[in-house]
Amino acid sequence: MAFVLIHGASFGANCWDELIPHLSAEALAVDLPGRGTRAEVDLGTVTLADCADAVREDIEAKDLRDVVLVGHSFAGVTIPRVLDLIPDRIRHVVLVSAVVPADGSRVLDQIDPGVRGLVEQSIADGVYHQTREGAAAMLCNDMDEATTASTLNRLADDSAALLSETVNLSGYSREIPRTYVHLTRDQCYVEELQQRSIALLRPDVIDLDTGHMAMISAPEKLAAVLNAVHG
């Protein structure tokens, strides 16, 4: 049994570094295409199918089974594609303030209007590039100065096309248990939007009093939730 961790937009696998030491089982943090171990991939070519393939490749390379699949933020639209690719390897899904727009819509359609403006201003030549100032406001409201700096130092460019690609949520129709970790101080994926995702998924819900990057700002708290799910 293992954890497989999928990061959100503008980050790579290293966003889980603080969390992994607190987990009770083996953990695999995946780099999606265009960053980290897959930095050679041109961001302008990346699709949601490519993201799901990257997760599948890493899971199959280690022959992991009985997986607790953990997705943060933007990973909410990658996970259902993974579930369709390798459903027999996944035991439980945990969504941490995960973006889940209506099936057939776009991630941009599910972003708070105030945040959406910041996102659209951060797109140029097919690349989504968050500024440190914008990211600090959205992601680091529950962090001290040192933790904020550490978080911002891990920012990565992302594919702008992923924000406007139509999502396919068919994988969520599979009978695989799921838990949604609702972050009560999140200023990025705000309360109303988390509640919309919860309404669509009808998961078990666990509240954490943290901002958007709980794996960095409160790794022990998030690990306790994941360890309890893992059993």
Side-chain angles (χ1 to χ4, degrees):
M1 294 182 287
F3 293 101
V4 173
L5 312 172
I6 310 175
H7 61 79
S10 298
F11 284 92
N14 62 358
C15 75
W16 302 101
D17 285 355
E18 286 86 349
L19 175 80
I20 289 174
H22 300 290
L23 295 176
S24 60
E26 176 186 4
L28 168 66
V30 176
D31 274 313
L32 297 182
R35 73 220 75 197
T37 57
R38 291 185 168 92
E40 77 284 354
V41 178
D42 179 2
L43 281 173
T45 69
V46 177
T47 66
L48 290 173
D50 294 331
C51 293
D53 278 336
V55 179
R56 175 190 57 78
E57 287 169 7
D58 285 1
I59 290 174
E60 290 182 343
K62 288 185 171 288
D63 195 25
L64 299 178
R65 300 178 184 276
D66 215 17
V67 165
V68 176
L69 189 63
V70 182
H72 174 245
S73 191
F74 190 82
V77 293
T78 296
I79 280 179
R81 293 172 181 263
V82 176
L83 298 181
D84 275 340
L85 290 174
I86 48 171
D88 56 315
R89 292 180 182 263
I90 310 302
R91 173 161 64 93
H92 200 112
V93 171
V94 181
L95 301 125
V96 183
S97 194
V99 178
V100 186
D103 195 27
S105 67
R106 309 172 306 157
V107 168
L108 274 175
D109 299 330
Q110 183 73 352
I111 296 177
D112 178 79
V115 175
R116 185 185 306 155
L118 292 173
V119 170
E120 290 174 336
Q121 291 169 27
S122 302
I123 293 174
D125 299 323
V127 174
Y128 173 46
H129 173 81
Q130 279 201 71
T131 66
R132 290 176 70 92
E133 295 76 17
M138 289 192 295
L139 308 177
C140 304
N141 56 296
D142 63 335
M143 299 179 189
D144 61 25
E145 186 174 343
T147 308
T148 295
S150 175
T151 301
L152 299 180
N153 287 341
R154 281 175 267 187
L155 285 174
D157 287 344
D158 220 319
S159 167
L162 298 179
L163 298 169
S164 56
E165 184 179 341
T166 299
V167 303
N168 180 347
L169 304 185
S170 62
Y172 284 133
S173 66
R174 295 181 179 273
E175 295 297 318
I176 297 174
R178 50 186 177 245
T179 299
Y180 197 99
V181 182
H182 165 230
L183 305 181
T184 62
R185 297 170 63 190
D186 197 332
Q187 292 186 352
C188 179
Y189 201 53
V190 297
E191 177 69 17
E192 178 185 356
L193 299 182
Q194 288 187 71
Q195 292 301 332
R196 286 186 199 172
S197 293
I198 289 166
L200 279 169
L201 294 172
R202 291 175 293 175
D204 294 332
V205 179
I206 297 174
D207 295 341
L208 277 188
D209 183 29
T210 76
H212 192 64
M213 302 298 293
M215 70 287 287
I216 297 175
S217 66
E220 293 185 42
K221 288 182 180 181
L222 181 55
V225 170
L226 298 180
N227 291 337
V229 167
H230 188 278

Coordinates of all heavy atoms in Angstrom, one line a residue, residues 65-138:
R65 N 0.2 -0.9 -6.2 CA -1.2 -1.4 -6.1 C -1.8 -0.9 -4.8 O -1.1 -0.6 -3.9 CB -1.3 -2.9 -6.3 CG -0.7 -3.3 -7.7 CD -0.8 -4.8 -7.9 NE -0.2 -5.2 -9.1 CZ -0.8 -5.2 -10.3 NH1 -2.0 -4.8 -10.4 NH2 -0.1 -5.5 -11.4
D66 N -3.1 -1.0 -4.7 CA -3.8 -0.6 -3.5 C -3.4 0.8 -3.1 O -3.1 1.1 -1.9 CB -3.4 -1.6 -2.3 CG -4.6 -1.8 -1.4 OD1 -5.7 -1.5 -1.7 OD2 -4.3 -2.3 -0.3
V67 N -3.4 1.7 -4.0 CA -2.8 3.1 -3.9 C -3.9 4.0 -3.3 O -5.1 4.0 -3.6 CB -2.4 3.6 -5.3 CG1 -2.2 5.1 -5.2 CG2 -1.2 2.9 -5.7
V68 N -3.4 4.9 -2.3 CA -4.2 6.0 -1.9 C -3.7 7.2 -2.8 O -2.6 7.7 -2.6 CB -4.0 6.3 -0.4 CG1 -4.7 7.6 0.0 CG2 -4.5 5.2 0.4
L69 N -4.5 7.6 -3.7 CA -4.2 8.6 -4.7 C -4.6 10.0 -4.1 O -5.8 10.2 -3.9 CB -4.9 8.4 -6.0 CG -4.5 9.2 -7.2 CD1 -3.1 9.0 -7.6 CD2 -5.4 8.8 -8.4
V70 N -3.6 10.9 -3.9 CA -3.8 12.2 -3.3 C -3.6 13.3 -4.4 O -2.5 13.4 -4.9 CB -2.9 12.4 -2.1 CG1 -3.2 13.7 -1.4 CG2 -3.0 11.2 -1.1
G71 N -4.6 14.1 -4.6 CA -4.5 15.2 -5.5 C -4.8 16.5 -4.9 O -5.8 16.7 -4.2
H72 N -3.9 17.5 -5.2 CA -4.1 18.9 -4.6 C -4.5 19.8 -5.7 O -4.0 19.8 -6.8 CB -2.7 19.3 -4.0 CG -2.7 20.8 -3.6 ND1 -2.0 21.7 -4.1 CD2 -3.5 21.4 -2.6 CE1 -2.2 22.9 -3.5 NE2 -3.1 22.7 -2.6
S73 N -5.5 20.6 -5.5 CA -5.9 21.7 -6.3 C -6.2 21.3 -7.7 O -7.1 20.5 -8.0 CB -4.8 22.8 -6.2 OG -5.2 24.0 -6.8
F74 N -5.4 21.7 -8.7 CA -5.6 21.4 -10.1 C -5.6 19.9 -10.4 O -6.2 19.5 -11.4 CB -4.6 22.2 -10.9 CG -4.8 22.1 -12.4 CD1 -5.7 23.1 -13.0 CD2 -4.2 21.2 -13.2 CE1 -5.9 23.0 -14.4 CE2 -4.4 21.2 -14.6 CZ -5.3 22.1 -15.2
A75 N -5.0 19.1 -9.5 CA -5.0 17.7 -9.7 C -6.4 17.1 -9.8 O -6.6 16.0 -10.2 CB -4.2 17.0 -8.7
G76 N -7.4 17.9 -9.3 CA -8.8 17.4 -9.3 C -9.3 17.1 -10.7 O -10.2 16.3 -10.8
V77 N -8.7 17.6 -11.8 CA -9.1 17.3 -13.1 C -8.2 16.2 -13.8 O -8.5 15.7 -14.8 CB -9.2 18.5 -14.0 CG1 -10.3 19.4 -13.5 CG2 -7.9 19.3 -14.1
T78 N -7.0 16.0 -13.1 CA -6.2 14.9 -13.6 C -6.6 13.5 -13.0 O -6.6 12.5 -13.7 CB -4.7 15.1 -13.2 OG1 -4.2 16.3 -13.9 CG2 -3.8 14.0 -13.6
I79 N -7.0 13.5 -11.8 CA -7.3 12.3 -11.1 C -8.4 11.4 -11.8 O -8.2 10.2 -12.0 CB -7.8 12.6 -9.7 CG1 -6.5 12.8 -8.8 CG2 -8.6 11.4 -9.1 CD1 -6.7 13.1 -7.4
P80 N -9.5 12.0 -12.3 CA -10.5 11.1 -13.0 C -10.0 10.4 -14.2 O -10.4 9.3 -14.5 CB -11.7 12.1 -13.3 CG -11.1 13.4 -13.3 CD -10.0 13.4 -12.3
R81 N -9.0 11.1 -14.9 CA -8.4 10.4 -16.0 C -7.5 9.2 -15.6 O -7.4 8.2 -16.3 CB -7.6 11.4 -16.9 CG -8.5 12.5 -17.5 CD -7.7 13.6 -18.2 NE -8.6 14.6 -18.8 CZ -8.9 14.6 -20.1 NH1 -8.4 13.7 -20.9 NH2 -9.7 15.5 -20.6
V82 N -6.8 9.4 -14.5 CA -6.0 8.3 -13.9 C -6.9 7.2 -13.5 O -6.6 6.0 -13.8 CB -5.2 8.8 -12.7 CG1 -4.5 7.7 -12.0 CG2 -4.2 9.9 -13.1
L83 N -8.1 7.5 -12.9 CA -9.0 6.4 -12.5 C -9.5 5.6 -13.7 O -9.8 4.4 -13.6 CB -10.2 7.0 -11.7 CG -9.9 7.8 -10.4 CD1 -11.1 8.3 -9.8 CD2 -9.1 6.9 -9.5
D84 N -9.7 6.3 -14.8 CA -10.1 5.5 -16.0 C -8.9 4.7 -16.6 O -9.2 3.7 -17.2 CB -10.6 6.5 -17.1 CG -12.0 6.9 -16.9 OD1 -12.8 6.1 -16.3 OD2 -12.4 8.0 -17.5
L85 N -7.7 5.1 -16.4 CA -6.5 4.4 -16.9 C -6.2 3.2 -16.1 O -5.9 2.1 -16.7 CB -5.3 5.3 -17.0 CG -5.4 6.4 -18.1 CD1 -4.1 7.3 -17.9 CD2 -5.4 5.8 -19.5
I86 N -6.2 3.3 -14.8 CA -5.7 2.2 -13.9 C -6.6 2.0 -12.7 O -6.1 2.1 -11.5 CB -4.2 2.4 -13.5 CG1 -4.0 3.9 -13.0 CG2 -3.3 2.1 -14.6 CD1 -2.6 4.1 -12.3
P87 N -7.9 1.9 -12.9 CA -8.8 1.8 -11.7 C -8.5 0.7 -10.8 O -8.7 0.8 -9.5 CB -10.2 1.6 -12.4 CG -9.9 1.0 -13.7 CD -8.6 1.6 -14.1
D88 N -7.9 -0.4 -11.3 CA -7.6 -1.6 -10.4 C -6.5 -1.4 -9.5 O -6.3 -2.2 -8.5 CB -7.3 -2.8 -11.3 CG -6.2 -2.6 -12.3 OD1 -6.1 -1.5 -12.9 OD2 -5.3 -3.4 -12.4
R89 N -5.7 -0.3 -9.7 CA -4.6 0.0 -8.8 C -4.9 1.0 -7.7 O -4.1 1.2 -6.8 CB -3.4 0.5 -9.6 CG -2.8 -0.5 -10.5 CD -1.6 0.0 -11.3 NE -1.0 -0.9 -12.2 CZ 0.0 -1.7 -12.0 NH1 0.7 -1.6 -10.8 NH2 0.5 -2.5 -12.8
I90 N -6.1 1.6 -7.7 CA -6.4 2.7 -6.8 C -7.4 2.2 -5.8 O -8.5 1.7 -6.1 CB -7.0 3.9 -7.6 CG1 -6.1 4.3 -8.8 CG2 -7.2 5.1 -6.6 CD1 -4.7 4.6 -8.4
R91 N -7.1 2.4 -4.5 CA -8.0 2.0 -3.4 C -8.8 3.1 -2.9 O -10.0 2.9 -2.5 CB -7.2 1.4 -2.2 CG -8.0 1.1 -1.0 CD -7.3 0.1 -0.1 NE -6.0 0.6 0.5 CZ -5.9 1.3 1.6 NH1 -7.0 1.5 2.4 NH2 -4.8 1.7 2.1
H92 N -8.3 4.3 -2.8 CA -9.0 5.5 -2.3 C -8.4 6.7 -2.9 O -7.2 6.8 -3.2 CB -8.7 5.5 -0.7 CG -9.7 6.3 0.0 ND1 -10.7 5.8 0.9 CD2 -10.0 7.7 0.0 CE1 -11.4 6.7 1.4 NE2 -11.0 7.9 0.9
V93 N -9.3 7.7 -3.1 CA -8.9 9.0 -3.6 C -9.0 10.1 -2.5 O -10.1 10.1 -1.9 CB -9.7 9.4 -4.9 CG1 -9.4 10.8 -5.3 CG2 -9.4 8.4 -6.0
V94 N -8.0 10.9 -2.3 CA -8.1 12.0 -1.4 C -7.9 13.3 -2.2 O -6.8 13.5 -2.9 CB -7.1 11.9 -0.3 CG1 -7.3 13.1 0.7 CG2 -7.3 10.6 0.5
L95 N -8.8 14.2 -2.2 CA -8.7 15.5 -2.9 C -8.5 16.6 -1.9 O -9.4 16.9 -1.1 CB -10.0 15.7 -3.7 CG -10.3 14.5 -4.7 CD1 -11.6 13.9 -4.5 CD2 -10.1 15.0 -6.2
V96 N -7.4 17.3 -2.0 CA -7.1 18.4 -1.1 C -7.4 19.7 -1.8 O -6.7 20.1 -2.7 CB -5.6 18.3 -0.7 CG1 -5.3 19.4 0.3 CG2 -5.2 16.9 -0.2
S97 N -8.5 20.3 -1.3 CA -9.0 21.6 -2.0 C -8.9 21.5 -3.5 O -8.3 22.4 -4.1 CB -8.2 22.8 -1.4 OG -8.8 24.0 -1.8
A98 N -9.4 20.4 -4.0 CA -9.2 20.1 -5.4 C -10.3 20.8 -6.3 O -11.4 20.9 -6.0 CB -9.3 18.6 -5.6
V99 N -9.8 21.2 -7.4 CA -10.6 21.9 -8.4 C -11.4 20.8 -9.2 O -10.8 20.0 -9.9 CB -9.8 22.7 -9.4 CG1 -10.6 23.4 -10.5 CG2 -9.0 23.8 -8.7
V100 N -12.7 20.9 -9.1 CA -13.6 19.9 -9.8 C -14.7 20.7 -10.5 O -15.8 20.9 -9.9 CB -14.1 18.8 -8.9 CG1 -14.9 17.8 -9.8 CG2 -13.0 18.1 -8.2
P101 N -14.5 21.2 -11.7 CA -15.6 21.9 -12.4 C -16.6 21.0 -12.9 O -16.4 19.7 -12.9 CB -14.8 22.6 -13.5 CG -13.6 21.8 -13.8 CD -13.3 21.1 -12.5
A102 N -17.7 21.4 -13.4 CA -18.7 20.6 -14.0 C -18.1 19.8 -15.2 O -17.3 20.4 -16.0 CB -19.9 21.4 -14.5
D103 N -18.5 18.6 -15.4 CA -18.0 17.8 -16.5 C -18.3 18.5 -17.8 O -19.4 19.0 -18.1 CB -18.7 16.4 -16.5 CG -18.0 15.4 -17.4 OD1 -16.8 15.5 -17.6 OD2 -18.7 14.5 -17.9
G104 N -17.3 18.6 -18.7 CA -17.4 19.2 -20.0 C -17.1 20.7 -20.0 O -17.2 21.3 -21.0
S105 N -16.9 21.3 -18.8 CA -16.5 22.7 -18.7 C -15.0 22.8 -18.6 O -14.3 21.9 -18.9 CB -17.2 23.3 -17.5 OG -16.7 22.8 -16.3
R106 N -14.5 24.0 -18.3 CA -13.1 24.3 -18.2 C -12.7 24.7 -16.7 O -13.6 25.1 -16.0 CB -12.7 25.4 -19.1 CG -13.2 25.3 -20.5 CD -12.9 26.5 -21.3 NE -13.5 27.7 -20.7 CZ -13.0 29.0 -20.8 NH1 -12.0 29.2 -21.6 NH2 -13.6 30.0 -20.2
V107 N -11.5 24.5 -16.4 CA -11.0 24.9 -15.1 C -11.2 26.4 -14.9 O -11.6 26.9 -13.8 CB -9.5 24.6 -14.9 CG1 -9.0 25.3 -13.7 CG2 -9.4 23.1 -14.7
L108 N -11.0 27.2 -16.0 CA -11.2 28.7 -15.9 C -12.6 29.0 -15.5 O -12.9 30.1 -14.9 CB -10.9 29.3 -17.2 CG -9.4 29.7 -17.5 CD1 -9.2 30.2 -18.9 CD2 -8.9 30.7 -16.4
D109 N -13.6 28.1 -15.9 CA -15.0 28.4 -15.5 C -15.2 28.2 -14.0 O -16.3 28.7 -13.5 CB -15.9 27.4 -16.3 CG -15.8 27.6 -17.8 OD1 -15.5 28.7 -18.2 OD2 -16.0 26.6 -18.5
Q110 N -14.3 27.6 -13.3 CA -14.5 27.2 -11.9 C -13.6 28.0 -11.0 O -13.4 27.7 -9.8 CB -14.3 25.7 -11.7 CG -14.5 25.2 -10.3 CD -15.9 25.0 -9.9 OE1 -16.8 25.5 -10.6 NE2 -16.2 24.4 -8.8
I111 N -13.0 29.1 -11.5 CA -12.2 30.0 -10.7 C -12.9 31.2 -10.2 O -13.7 31.8 -11.0 CB -10.9 30.4 -11.5 CG1 -10.1 29.1 -11.9 CG2 -10.1 31.4 -10.8 CD1 -8.9 29.4 -12.7
D112 N -12.7 31.6 -9.0 CA -13.3 32.8 -8.4 C -13.0 34.0 -9.3 O -11.9 34.1 -9.8 CB -12.8 33.0 -7.0 CG -13.3 34.3 -6.4 OD1 -14.5 34.3 -5.9 OD2 -12.6 35.3 -6.4
P113 N -14.0 34.8 -9.7 CA -13.7 35.9 -10.6 C -12.5 36.8 -10.2 O -11.8 37.2 -11.1 CB -15.0 36.7 -10.5 CG -16.1 35.7 -10.2 CD -15.4 34.7 -9.3
G114 N -12.3 37.0 -8.9 CA -11.2 37.8 -8.5 C -9.9 37.1 -8.8 O -8.9 37.7 -9.2
V115 N -9.8 35.8 -8.5 CA -8.6 35.0 -8.8 C -8.4 34.9 -10.3 O -7.3 34.9 -10.8 CB -8.7 33.7 -8.1 CG1 -7.5 32.8 -8.5 CG2 -8.8 33.8 -6.6
R116 N -9.6 34.7 -11.0 CA -9.5 34.5 -12.5 C -8.7 35.6 -13.2 O -7.9 35.4 -14.1 CB -10.9 34.3 -13.1 CG -10.9 34.0 -14.6 CD -12.3 34.0 -15.1 NE -13.1 33.1 -14.4 CZ -14.5 33.2 -14.3 NH1 -15.1 34.2 -14.9 NH2 -15.2 32.4 -13.6
G117 N -9.0 36.8 -12.7 CA -8.3 38.0 -13.3 C -6.8 37.9 -13.2 O -6.0 38.2 -14.1
L118 N -6.3 37.5 -12.0 CA -4.9 37.3 -11.7 C -4.3 36.2 -12.6 O -3.2 36.3 -13.1 CB -4.7 36.9 -10.3 CG -4.9 38.1 -9.2 CD1 -4.8 37.5 -7.8 CD2 -3.9 39.2 -9.4
V119 N -5.1 35.1 -12.8 CA -4.7 34.0 -13.6 C -4.5 34.4 -15.1 O -3.5 34.2 -15.7 CB -5.7 32.8 -13.5 CG1 -5.3 31.8 -14.6 CG2 -5.6 32.2 -12.1
E120 N -5.5 35.1 -15.6 CA -5.5 35.5 -17.0 C -4.4 36.5 -17.3 O -3.8 36.5 -18.3 CB -6.8 36.1 -17.4 CG -7.9 35.0 -17.4 CD -9.3 35.6 -17.7 OE1 -9.6 36.8 -17.4 OE2 -10.2 34.8 -18.2
Q121 N -4.1 37.4 -16.3 CA -2.9 38.3 -16.4 C -1.6 37.6 -16.4 O -0.6 38.1 -16.8 CB -3.0 39.3 -15.3 CG -4.1 40.3 -15.4 CD -4.3 41.2 -14.2 OE1 -3.3 41.4 -13.5 NE2 -5.5 41.6 -13.9
S122 N -1.6 36.4 -15.9 CA -0.3 35.6 -15.8 C -0.1 34.7 -17.0 O 0.9 33.9 -16.9 CB -0.4 34.8 -14.5 OG -0.6 35.6 -13.4
I123 N -0.9 34.8 -18.0 CA -0.7 33.9 -19.2 C -0.1 34.7 -20.3 O -0.5 35.8 -20.7 CB -2.1 33.4 -19.6 CG1 -2.6 32.4 -18.6 CG2 -2.0 32.7 -21.0 CD1 -4.0 31.9 -18.9
A124 N 1.0 34.1 -20.9 CA 1.6 34.7 -22.1 C 2.3 33.6 -22.9 O 2.9 32.7 -22.3 CB 2.7 35.7 -21.7
D125 N 2.0 33.6 -24.2 CA 2.7 32.6 -25.1 C 2.4 31.2 -24.7 O 3.3 30.3 -24.8 CB 4.2 32.9 -25.2 CG 4.5 34.2 -25.8 OD1 3.8 34.7 -26.7 OD2 5.5 34.8 -25.3
G126 N 1.2 30.9 -24.2 CA 0.8 29.6 -23.9 C 1.3 29.1 -22.5 O 1.1 27.9 -22.2
V127 N 1.9 30.0 -21.8 CA 2.5 29.6 -20.5 C 1.8 30.4 -19.4 O 1.6 31.6 -19.5 CB 4.0 29.8 -20.5 CG1 4.6 29.5 -19.1 CG2 4.7 28.9 -21.5
Y128 N 1.5 29.7 -18.3 CA 0.9 30.3 -17.1 C 2.1 30.5 -16.1 O 2.7 29.6 -15.6 CB -0.2 29.4 -16.5 CG -0.7 29.9 -15.2 CD1 -1.0 31.2 -15.0 CD2 -0.9 29.0 -14.1 CE1 -1.5 31.6 -13.7 CE2 -1.4 29.4 -12.9 CZ -1.7 30.7 -12.7 OH -2.2 31.1 -11.5
H129 N 2.4 31.8 -15.8 CA 3.5 32.1 -15.0 C 3.0 33.0 -13.8 O 2.6 34.1 -14.0 CB 4.6 32.9 -15.7 CG 5.7 33.4 -14.9 ND1 6.7 32.6 -14.5 CD2 5.9 34.7 -14.3 CE1 7.5 33.4 -13.7 NE2 7.1 34.6 -13.6
Q130 N 3.0 32.4 -12.6 CA 2.5 33.1 -11.4 C 3.7 34.0 -10.9 O 4.8 33.5 -10.8 CB 2.2 32.2 -10.3 CG 0.8 31.6 -10.4 CD 0.3 31.1 -9.1 OE1 0.0 31.9 -8.2 NE2 0.2 29.8 -9.0
T131 N 3.4 35.2 -10.6 CA 4.3 36.1 -9.9 C 4.4 35.7 -8.5 O 3.5 35.2 -7.9 CB 4.0 37.6 -10.1 OG1 2.7 37.8 -9.3 CG2 3.8 38.0 -11.5
R132 N 5.5 36.0 -7.9 CA 5.7 35.8 -6.4 C 4.7 36.5 -5.6 O 4.1 36.0 -4.6 CB 7.1 36.1 -6.0 CG 8.2 35.2 -6.6 CD 9.6 35.6 -6.2 NE 9.9 35.4 -4.8 CZ 10.4 34.3 -4.2 NH1 10.7 33.3 -5.0 NH2 10.6 34.2 -2.9
E133 N 4.4 37.8 -6.1 CA 3.4 38.6 -5.3 C 2.0 38.0 -5.4 O 1.3 37.9 -4.3 CB 3.4 40.0 -5.9 CG 4.7 40.8 -5.7 CD 5.8 40.4 -6.7 OE1 5.5 39.7 -7.7 OE2 7.0 40.7 -6.4
G134 N 1.6 37.6 -6.6 CA 0.3 37.0 -6.7 C 0.2 35.7 -6.0 O -0.9 35.4 -5.3
A135 N 1.2 34.9 -6.1 CA 1.2 33.6 -5.4 C 1.2 33.8 -3.9 O 0.5 33.0 -3.2 CB 2.4 32.8 -5.8
A136 N 1.9 34.7 -3.4 CA 1.9 35.0 -1.9 C 0.5 35.3 -1.4 O 0.1 34.8 -0.4 CB 2.9 36.1 -1.6
A137 N -0.2 36.1 -2.2 CA -1.5 36.5 -1.7 C -2.5 35.4 -1.8 O -3.3 35.2 -0.8 CB -2.0 37.7 -2.6
M138 N -2.4 34.5 -2.8 CA -3.4 33.4 -2.9 C -3.0 32.2 -2.1 O -3.9 31.4 -1.6 CB -3.5 33.0 -4.4 CG -4.2 34.0 -5.2 SD -4.6 33.3 -6.9 CE -3.0 33.0 -7.6

